[in-house]
Amino acid sequence: MDADPQTLEVALAERSYPIRIGSGVIHEAGTLLAAQRVRDAVVITNATVAAHWLAPLQRSLAGAGLRVETTMIPDGEAHKNWDTLYMVLTRLLELRAERSTMLVALGGGVVGDIAGFVAAIYQRGMPFIQIPTTLLAQVDSSVGGKTGVNHPLGKNMIGAFHQPRAVLIDTDCLRTLPSRELAAGLAEVVKVGAIRDAVFFAWLEKHVDALVACDPAALAHAIQTSCRIKAEIVAADEREHGERALLNFGHTFGHAIENAMGYGQWLHGEAVAAGMVVAAEVSARSGRIDSGVADRVRVLLGRAGLPTQAPALGFERWMSLMARDKKVQAGAIRFVLLDGLGQAVVATEVPDSLLREVLR
Ligand code: NAD
Ligand code: GLY
């Protein structure tokens, strides 16, 4: 891993954009936006993130001559909802933000998903950039243009695809992240290895202790690899007609856990971790993988400090929650399973009897 910042690209023709990864890249925000001839910016963030990272961002933007406003939203998954969305839209109208105003999402996946959705619908669409400050947002949610909010009846059920103009991943931001949040981000890193790259999965098994200890070089390698793979998948299937669905490994079960337990009780990454253990177990019982592969997924997630046992929701409740998943087609739940380490597949033909063995 080079110490210098690296730039990857999400290749989407005229909507292509850079992902800049490295220590201190938050200070490049002003130069980046000035080069795009942006004059006005509205930063969306929350008080927790602002306490650590708003001042350097504002300095960078103001130093490049931009007029900058800031809008705070309440912190937490429980606020990733219609009310917060409406509040931000109202604030933009009060500020007389224009279609050319640049939104800047500074925060974790909650800030990024809400800000991105606001950018998708305010005056029928405005530009935005992502400055993700959690590991989860750096390796997953800031890249790929999925935006939206939760509904009491289902996770991420209201949203839009809207790609950012750039993603600035400042690895220094992870220094202030609580360890539980770091672990939650590692869930999405493990996911990438499990579905797409067995060599990376083995690297994670070797370096998981360094990652948990927040070792900068190990984290930078994990972020770069995860972003590279996510960028490839998004470039190939932006609107999730095919392989992008594989990024939802563990999510059908995980979203059910988040919804059942109450948004914010289990962190998204924690729910996905327990969901991946279930998905690997279903894969093994379906004869797709050896039980040894499912064990490796479970053990790695446990070493990352993540839950490996899904809560007992009761079979009927599991099925009713999962029937609301966005991957449901013609009433059939489509599960992302493993055909091998680094090889995921979408399957519809999982018998209820098998699910009953795994879902308590
Ligand atoms: P989050 O946004 O709630 O952030 C976690 C906590 O960390 C919050 O309290 C936040 O204020 C705090 N925080 C953020 N950065 C910090 C920092 N540098 N220092 C100290 N505290 C900091 O949670 P998350 O895990 O980042 O994101 C989860 C959300 O992302 C979920 O809503 C999930 O659905 C969504 N998501 C979206 C996509 C996508 O493709 N759009 C992909 C994966 C997840
Ligand atoms: N997190 C899943 C996706 O971006 O498609």
Side-chain angles (χ1 to χ4, degrees):
M1 153 66 205
D2 287 335
D4 293 337
Q6 309 276 302
T7 305
L8 305 172
E9 187 190 49
V10 183
L12 290 167
E14 72 286 352
R15 287 174 300 108
S16 299
Y17 56 93
I19 309 172
R20 185 100 172 122
I21 306 169
S23 163
V25 300
I26 198 168
H27 304 289
E28 297 177 7
T31 319
L32 176 93
L33 295 192
Q36 295 186 10
R37 298 182 187 284
V38 176
R39 288 181 311 154
D40 296 289
V42 177
V43 178
I44 316 257
T45 189
N46 67 39
T48 313
V49 178
H52 300 291
W53 300 105
L54 182 58
L57 175 61
Q58 283 177 327
R59 268 198 303 278
S60 172
L61 296 175
L66 276 85
R67 287 187 295 258
V68 187
E69 298 281 356
T70 300
T71 294
M72 296 287 183
I73 63 173
D75 190 2
E77 184 74 32
H79 298 286
K80 188 176 133 177
N81 59 23
W82 192 258
D83 289 348
T84 308
L85 177 76
Y86 191 80
M87 188 264 283
V88 178
L89 291 168
T90 304
R91 178 86 180 120
L92 290 185
L93 288 166
E94 287 168 355
L95 291 170
R96 298 185 194 280
E98 298 178 358
R99 212 180 236 171
S100 59
T101 299
M102 179 69 75
L103 274 199
V104 179
L106 175 71
V110 169
V111 167
D113 280 11
I114 294 175
F117 191 30
V118 167
I121 61 176
Y122 182 78
Q123 296 192 1
R124 301 201 177 88
M126 66 196 300
F128 82 115
I129 65 165
Q130 292 270 18
I131 306 185
T133 60
T134 63
L135 181 60
L136 186 137
Q138 296 189 345
V139 298
D140 192 355
S141 64
S142 64
V143 174
K146 277 190 183 175
T147 74
V149 294
N150 301 327
H151 187 282
L153 290 179
K155 171 94 180 147
N156 293 335
M157 279 293 155
I158 304 164
F161 286 97
H162 187 54
Q163 299 293 342
R165 295 291 169 93
V167 182
L168 282 182
I169 298 178
D170 191 332
T171 49
D172 293 350
C173 291
L174 302 179
R175 287 201 315 250
T176 58
L177 194 66
S179 53
R180 185 178 170 199
E181 298 291 349
L182 190 86
L186 289 175
E188 302 281 14
V189 176
V190 171
K191 175 192 81 179
V192 168
I195 64 166
R196 181 76 170 217
D197 190 334
V199 173
F200 181 50
F201 191 94
W203 181 91
L204 290 170
E205 290 177 313
K206 202 166 164 198
H207 294 91
V208 65
D209 297 336
L211 291 165
V212 169
C214 217
D215 175 76
L219 282 170
H221 180 73
I223 294 165
Q224 284 177 10
T225 307
S226 302
C227 284
R228 177 180 52 74
I229 290 173
K230 178 141 189 193
E232 285 167 9
I233 292 175
V234 169
D237 179 25
E238 182 185 9
R239 297 278 171 142
E240 200 170 303
H241 298 304
E243 73 170 311
R244 185 164 180 173
L246 304 180
L247 288 169
N248 294 321
F249 179 55
H251 285 59
T252 302
F253 301 108
H255 286 170
I257 295 171
E258 282 187 85
N259 185 292
M261 304 308 280
Y263 295 124
Q265 297 306 306
W266 280 54
L267 300 183
H268 175 72
E270 292 171 344
V272 167
M276 286 191 284
V277 174
V278 174
E281 180 66 29
V282 170
S283 308
R285 288 180 189 239
S286 310
R288 292 175 177 276
I289 54 171
D290 291 341
S291 60
V293 173
D295 287 344
R296 282 176 71 183
V297 171
R298 182 176 42 73
V299 169
L300 180 56
L301 291 166
R303 289 178 63 202
L306 288 157
T308 55
Q309 175 75 64
L313 306 178
F315 183 70
E316 304 306 330
R317 181 123 168 81
W318 273 109
M319 296 308 283
S320 133
L321 287 162
M322 293 193 301
R324 293 191 204 126
D325 190 81
K326 288 192 293 313
K327 288 186 300 310
V328 169
Q329 270 182 9
I333 303 172
R334 298 159 76 235
F335 294 96
V336 182
L337 301 181
L338 295 183
D339 263 354
L341 199 56
Q343 258 181 287
V345 66
V346 175
T348 44
E349 68 289 359
V350 181
D352 278 8
S353 53
L354 193 154
L355 291 170
R356 266 185 201 282
E357 292 170 17
V358 178
L359 297 173
R360 297 171 303 127

mmCIF file with all atom_site columns, all heavy atoms in Angstrom, residues 36-52:
data_model
loop_
_atom_site.group_PDB
_atom_site.id
_atom_site.type_symbol
_atom_site.label_atom_id
_atom_site.label_alt_id
_atom_site.label_comp_id
_atom_site.label_asym_id
_atom_site.label_entity_id
_atom_site.label_seq_id
_atom_site.pdbx_PDB_ins_code
_atom_site.Cartn_x
_atom_site.Cartn_y
_atom_site.Cartn_z
_atom_site.occupancy
_atom_site.B_iso_or_equiv
_atom_site.pdbx_formal_charge
_atom_site.auth_seq_id
_atom_site.auth_comp_id
_atom_site.auth_asym_id
_atom_site.auth_atom_id
_atom_site.pdbx_PDB_model_num
ATOM 1   N N   . GLN A 1 36 ? -14.491 22.300 -10.514 1.00 0.00 ? 36 GLN A N   1
ATOM 2   C CA  . GLN A 1 36 ? -15.772 22.001 -11.182 1.00 0.00 ? 36 GLN A CA  1
ATOM 3   C C   . GLN A 1 36 ? -16.626 23.270 -11.307 1.00 0.00 ? 36 GLN A C   1
ATOM 4   O O   . GLN A 1 36 ? -17.822 23.185 -11.588 1.00 0.00 ? 36 GLN A O   1
ATOM 5   C CB  . GLN A 1 36 ? -16.532 20.920 -10.396 1.00 0.00 ? 36 GLN A CB  1
ATOM 6   C CG  . GLN A 1 36 ? -15.822 19.580 -10.372 1.00 0.00 ? 36 GLN A CG  1
ATOM 7   C CD  . GLN A 1 36 ? -16.657 18.466 -9.709  1.00 0.00 ? 36 GLN A CD  1
ATOM 8   O OE1 . GLN A 1 36 ? -17.828 18.610 -9.417  1.00 0.00 ? 36 GLN A OE1 1
ATOM 9   N NE2 . GLN A 1 36 ? -16.013 17.330 -9.477  1.00 0.00 ? 36 GLN A NE2 1
ATOM 10  N N   . ARG A 1 37 ? -16.035 24.421 -11.052 1.00 0.00 ? 37 ARG A N   1
ATOM 11  C CA  . ARG A 1 37 ? -16.694 25.736 -11.155 1.00 0.00 ? 37 ARG A CA  1
ATOM 12  C C   . ARG A 1 37 ? -17.891 25.867 -10.222 1.00 0.00 ? 37 ARG A C   1
ATOM 13  O O   . ARG A 1 37 ? -18.886 26.531 -10.531 1.00 0.00 ? 37 ARG A O   1
ATOM 14  C CB  . ARG A 1 37 ? -17.148 26.010 -12.596 1.00 0.00 ? 37 ARG A CB  1
ATOM 15  C CG  . ARG A 1 37 ? -15.995 26.050 -13.572 1.00 0.00 ? 37 ARG A CG  1
ATOM 16  C CD  . ARG A 1 37 ? -16.477 26.370 -14.977 1.00 0.00 ? 37 ARG A CD  1
ATOM 17  N NE  . ARG A 1 37 ? -15.389 26.236 -15.927 1.00 0.00 ? 37 ARG A NE  1
ATOM 18  C CZ  . ARG A 1 37 ? -14.417 27.116 -16.077 1.00 0.00 ? 37 ARG A CZ  1
ATOM 19  N NH1 . ARG A 1 37 ? -14.385 28.201 -15.349 1.00 0.00 ? 37 ARG A NH1 1
ATOM 20  N NH2 . ARG A 1 37 ? -13.454 26.929 -16.964 1.00 0.00 ? 37 ARG A NH2 1
ATOM 21  N N   . VAL A 1 38 ? -17.819 25.210 -9.077  1.00 0.00 ? 38 VAL A N   1
ATOM 22  C CA  . VAL A 1 38 ? -18.894 25.327 -8.081  1.00 0.00 ? 38 VAL A CA  1
ATOM 23  C C   . VAL A 1 38 ? -18.672 26.609 -7.285  1.00 0.00 ? 38 VAL A C   1
ATOM 24  O O   . VAL A 1 38 ? -17.552 26.914 -6.889  1.00 0.00 ? 38 VAL A O   1
ATOM 25  C CB  . VAL A 1 38 ? -18.860 24.102 -7.132  1.00 0.00 ? 38 VAL A CB  1
ATOM 26  C CG1 . VAL A 1 38 ? -19.899 24.256 -6.023  1.00 0.00 ? 38 VAL A CG1 1
ATOM 27  C CG2 . VAL A 1 38 ? -19.086 22.823 -7.911  1.00 0.00 ? 38 VAL A CG2 1
ATOM 28  N N   . ARG A 1 39 ? -19.780 27.366 -7.051  1.00 0.00 ? 39 ARG A N   1
ATOM 29  C CA  . ARG A 1 39 ? -19.651 28.602 -6.264  1.00 0.00 ? 39 ARG A CA  1
ATOM 30  C C   . ARG A 1 39 ? -20.326 28.460 -4.899  1.00 0.00 ? 39 ARG A C   1
ATOM 31  O O   . ARG A 1 39 ? -19.916 29.051 -3.916  1.00 0.00 ? 39 ARG A O   1
ATOM 32  C CB  . ARG A 1 39 ? -20.272 29.776 -7.016  1.00 0.00 ? 39 ARG A CB  1
ATOM 33  C CG  . ARG A 1 39 ? -19.443 30.218 -8.226  1.00 0.00 ? 39 ARG A CG  1
ATOM 34  C CD  . ARG A 1 39 ? -20.087 31.388 -8.901  1.00 0.00 ? 39 ARG A CD  1
ATOM 35  N NE  . ARG A 1 39 ? -21.502 31.119 -9.132  1.00 0.00 ? 39 ARG A NE  1
ATOM 36  C CZ  . ARG A 1 39 ? -22.440 32.040 -9.237  1.00 0.00 ? 39 ARG A CZ  1
ATOM 37  N NH1 . ARG A 1 39 ? -22.141 33.302 -9.109  1.00 0.00 ? 39 ARG A NH1 1
ATOM 38  N NH2 . ARG A 1 39 ? -23.691 31.697 -9.463  1.00 0.00 ? 39 ARG A NH2 1
ATOM 39  N N   . ASP A 1 40 ? -21.415 27.655 -4.853  1.00 0.00 ? 40 ASP A N   1
ATOM 40  C CA  . ASP A 1 40 ? -22.175 27.508 -3.610  1.00 0.00 ? 40 ASP A CA  1
ATOM 41  C C   . ASP A 1 40 ? -22.228 26.046 -3.198  1.00 0.00 ? 40 ASP A C   1
ATOM 42  O O   . ASP A 1 40 ? -22.482 25.183 -4.035  1.00 0.00 ? 40 ASP A O   1
ATOM 43  C CB  . ASP A 1 40 ? -23.608 28.005 -3.800  1.00 0.00 ? 40 ASP A CB  1
ATOM 44  C CG  . ASP A 1 40 ? -23.645 29.479 -4.106  1.00 0.00 ? 40 ASP A CG  1
ATOM 45  O OD1 . ASP A 1 40 ? -23.373 30.262 -3.189  1.00 0.00 ? 40 ASP A OD1 1
ATOM 46  O OD2 . ASP A 1 40 ? -23.895 29.831 -5.280  1.00 0.00 ? 40 ASP A OD2 1
ATOM 47  N N   . ALA A 1 41 ? -22.027 25.828 -1.906  1.00 0.00 ? 41 ALA A N   1
ATOM 48  C CA  . ALA A 1 41 ? -22.095 24.454 -1.403  1.00 0.00 ? 41 ALA A CA  1
ATOM 49  C C   . ALA A 1 41 ? -22.896 24.437 -0.103  1.00 0.00 ? 41 ALA A C   1
ATOM 50  O O   . ALA A 1 41 ? -22.836 25.383 0.681   1.00 0.00 ? 41 ALA A O   1
ATOM 51  C CB  . ALA A 1 41 ? -20.695 23.906 -1.156  1.00 0.00 ? 41 ALA A CB  1
ATOM 52  N N   . VAL A 1 42 ? -23.657 23.361 0.081   1.00 0.00 ? 42 VAL A N   1
ATOM 53  C CA  . VAL A 1 42 ? -24.345 23.139 1.360   1.00 0.00 ? 42 VAL A CA  1
ATOM 54  C C   . VAL A 1 42 ? -23.836 21.814 1.911   1.00 0.00 ? 42 VAL A C   1
ATOM 55  O O   . VAL A 1 42 ? -23.974 20.768 1.248   1.00 0.00 ? 42 VAL A O   1
ATOM 56  C CB  . VAL A 1 42 ? -25.878 23.094 1.205   1.00 0.00 ? 42 VAL A CB  1
ATOM 57  C CG1 . VAL A 1 42 ? -26.532 22.789 2.549   1.00 0.00 ? 42 VAL A CG1 1
ATOM 58  C CG2 . VAL A 1 42 ? -26.410 24.412 0.650   1.00 0.00 ? 42 VAL A CG2 1
ATOM 59  N N   . VAL A 1 43 ? -23.243 21.870 3.084   1.00 0.00 ? 43 VAL A N   1
ATOM 60  C CA  . VAL A 1 43 ? -22.740 20.659 3.731   1.00 0.00 ? 43 VAL A CA  1
ATOM 61  C C   . VAL A 1 43 ? -23.848 20.079 4.593   1.00 0.00 ? 43 VAL A C   1
ATOM 62  O O   . VAL A 1 43 ? -24.480 20.794 5.377   1.00 0.00 ? 43 VAL A O   1
ATOM 63  C CB  . VAL A 1 43 ? -21.521 20.988 4.629   1.00 0.00 ? 43 VAL A CB  1
ATOM 64  C CG1 . VAL A 1 43 ? -21.015 19.734 5.338   1.00 0.00 ? 43 VAL A CG1 1
ATOM 65  C CG2 . VAL A 1 43 ? -20.402 21.629 3.816   1.00 0.00 ? 43 VAL A CG2 1
ATOM 66  N N   . ILE A 1 44 ? -24.110 18.781 4.424   1.00 0.00 ? 44 ILE A N   1
ATOM 67  C CA  . ILE A 1 44 ? -25.060 18.077 5.291   1.00 0.00 ? 44 ILE A CA  1
ATOM 68  C C   . ILE A 1 44 ? -24.234 17.177 6.203   1.00 0.00 ? 44 ILE A C   1
ATOM 69  O O   . ILE A 1 44 ? -23.421 16.372 5.724   1.00 0.00 ? 44 ILE A O   1
ATOM 70  C CB  . ILE A 1 44 ? -26.026 17.174 4.491   1.00 0.00 ? 44 ILE A CB  1
ATOM 71  C CG1 . ILE A 1 44 ? -26.540 17.898 3.263   1.00 0.00 ? 44 ILE A CG1 1
ATOM 72  C CG2 . ILE A 1 44 ? -27.126 16.621 5.385   1.00 0.00 ? 44 ILE A CG2 1
ATOM 73  C CD1 . ILE A 1 44 ? -27.884 18.431 3.303   1.00 0.00 ? 44 ILE A CD1 1
ATOM 74  N N   . THR A 1 45 ? -24.462 17.301 7.501   1.00 0.00 ? 45 THR A N   1
ATOM 75  C CA  . THR A 1 45 ? -23.703 16.485 8.447   1.00 0.00 ? 45 THR A CA  1
ATOM 76  C C   . THR A 1 45 ? -24.508 16.356 9.736   1.00 0.00 ? 45 THR A C   1
ATOM 77  O O   . THR A 1 45 ? -25.678 16.722 9.783   1.00 0.00 ? 45 THR A O   1
ATOM 78  C CB  . THR A 1 45 ? -22.294 17.094 8.686   1.00 0.00 ? 45 THR A CB  1
ATOM 79  O OG1 . THR A 1 45 ? -21.502 16.188 9.439   1.00 0.00 ? 45 THR A OG1 1
ATOM 80  C CG2 . THR A 1 45 ? -22.350 18.435 9.395   1.00 0.00 ? 45 THR A CG2 1
ATOM 81  N N   . ASN A 1 46 ? -23.899 15.783 10.769  1.00 0.00 ? 46 ASN A N   1
ATOM 82  C CA  . ASN A 1 46 ? -24.572 15.754 12.074  1.00 0.00 ? 46 ASN A CA  1
ATOM 83  C C   . ASN A 1 46 ? -23.579 16.219 13.143  1.00 0.00 ? 46 ASN A C   1
ATOM 84  O O   . ASN A 1 46 ? -22.379 16.385 12.864  1.00 0.00 ? 46 ASN A O   1
ATOM 85  C CB  . ASN A 1 46 ? -25.145 14.354 12.387  1.00 0.00 ? 46 ASN A CB  1
ATOM 86  C CG  . ASN A 1 46 ? -24.065 13.313 12.584  1.00 0.00 ? 46 ASN A CG  1
ATOM 87  O OD1 . ASN A 1 46 ? -23.015 13.573 13.174  1.00 0.00 ? 46 ASN A OD1 1
ATOM 88  N ND2 . ASN A 1 46 ? -24.306 12.104 12.097  1.00 0.00 ? 46 ASN A ND2 1
ATOM 89  N N   . ALA A 1 47 ? -24.078 16.425 14.356  1.00 0.00 ? 47 ALA A N   1
ATOM 90  C CA  . ALA A 1 47 ? -23.261 17.054 15.395  1.00 0.00 ? 47 ALA A CA  1
ATOM 91  C C   . ALA A 1 47 ? -22.048 16.195 15.764  1.00 0.00 ? 47 ALA A C   1
ATOM 92  O O   . ALA A 1 47 ? -20.967 16.726 16.046  1.00 0.00 ? 47 ALA A O   1
ATOM 93  C CB  . ALA A 1 47 ? -24.116 17.322 16.626  1.00 0.00 ? 47 ALA A CB  1
ATOM 94  N N   . THR A 1 48 ? -22.215 14.883 15.751  1.00 0.00 ? 48 THR A N   1
ATOM 95  C CA  . THR A 1 48 ? -21.113 13.987 16.125  1.00 0.00 ? 48 THR A CA  1
ATOM 96  C C   . THR A 1 48 ? -19.945 14.137 15.158  1.00 0.00 ? 48 THR A C   1
ATOM 97  O O   . THR A 1 48 ? -18.782 14.282 15.558  1.00 0.00 ? 48 THR A O   1
ATOM 98  C CB  . THR A 1 48 ? -21.597 12.515 16.108  1.00 0.00 ? 48 THR A CB  1
ATOM 99  O OG1 . THR A 1 48 ? -22.830 12.428 16.792  1.00 0.00 ? 48 THR A OG1 1
ATOM 100 C CG2 . THR A 1 48 ? -20.582 11.580 16.702  1.00 0.00 ? 48 THR A CG2 1
ATOM 101 N N   . VAL A 1 49 ? -20.251 14.092 13.880  1.00 0.00 ? 49 VAL A N   1
ATOM 102 C CA  . VAL A 1 49 ? -19.205 14.192 12.855  1.00 0.00 ? 49 VAL A CA  1
ATOM 103 C C   . VAL A 1 49 ? -18.656 15.611 12.809  1.00 0.00 ? 49 VAL A C   1
ATOM 104 O O   . VAL A 1 49 ? -17.436 15.823 12.704  1.00 0.00 ? 49 VAL A O   1
ATOM 105 C CB  . VAL A 1 49 ? -19.778 13.788 11.474  1.00 0.00 ? 49 VAL A CB  1
ATOM 106 C CG1 . VAL A 1 49 ? -18.725 13.942 10.386  1.00 0.00 ? 49 VAL A CG1 1
ATOM 107 C CG2 . VAL A 1 49 ? -20.295 12.351 11.513  1.00 0.00 ? 49 VAL A CG2 1
ATOM 108 N N   . ALA A 1 50 ? -19.559 16.581 12.930  1.00 0.00 ? 50 ALA A N   1
ATOM 109 C CA  . ALA A 1 50 ? -19.148 17.985 12.837  1.00 0.00 ? 50 ALA A CA  1
ATOM 110 C C   . ALA A 1 50 ? -18.107 18.324 13.904  1.00 0.00 ? 50 ALA A C   1
ATOM 111 O O   . ALA A 1 50 ? -17.162 19.074 13.653  1.00 0.00 ? 50 ALA A O   1
ATOM 112 C CB  . ALA A 1 50 ? -20.365 18.892 12.974  1.00 0.00 ? 50 ALA A CB  1
ATOM 113 N N   . ALA A 1 51 ? -18.259 17.742 15.080  1.00 0.00 ? 51 ALA A N   1
ATOM 114 C CA  . ALA A 1 51 ? -17.331 18.056 16.171  1.00 0.00 ? 51 ALA A CA  1
ATOM 115 C C   . ALA A 1 51 ? -15.889 17.735 15.791  1.00 0.00 ? 51 ALA A C   1
ATOM 116 O O   . ALA A 1 51 ? -14.951 18.375 16.253  1.00 0.00 ? 51 ALA A O   1
ATOM 117 C CB  . ALA A 1 51 ? -17.731 17.258 17.417  1.00 0.00 ? 51 ALA A CB  1
ATOM 118 N N   . HIS A 1 52 ? -15.717 16.751 14.930  1.00 0.00 ? 52 HIS A N   1
ATOM 119 C CA  . HIS A 1 52 ? -14.352 16.334 14.554  1.00 0.00 ? 52 HIS A CA  1
ATOM 120 C C   . HIS A 1 52 ? -13.913 16.874 13.197  1.00 0.00 ? 52 HIS A C   1
ATOM 121 O O   . HIS A 1 52 ? -12.753 17.202 13.010  1.00 0.00 ? 52 HIS A O   1
ATOM 122 C CB  . HIS A 1 52 ? -14.275 14.813 14.489  1.00 0.00 ? 52 HIS A CB  1
ATOM 123 C CG  . HIS A 1 52 ? -14.609 14.122 15.778  1.00 0.00 ? 52 HIS A CG  1
ATOM 124 N ND1 . HIS A 1 52 ? -13.799 14.194 16.883  1.00 0.00 ? 52 HIS A ND1 1
ATOM 125 C CD2 . HIS A 1 52 ? -15.662 13.344 16.123  1.00 0.00 ? 52 HIS A CD2 1
ATOM 126 C CE1 . HIS A 1 52 ? -14.338 13.479 17.860  1.00 0.00 ? 52 HIS A CE1 1
ATOM 127 N NE2 . HIS A 1 52 ? -15.468 12.964 17.431  1.00 0.00 ? 52 HIS A NE2 1
#
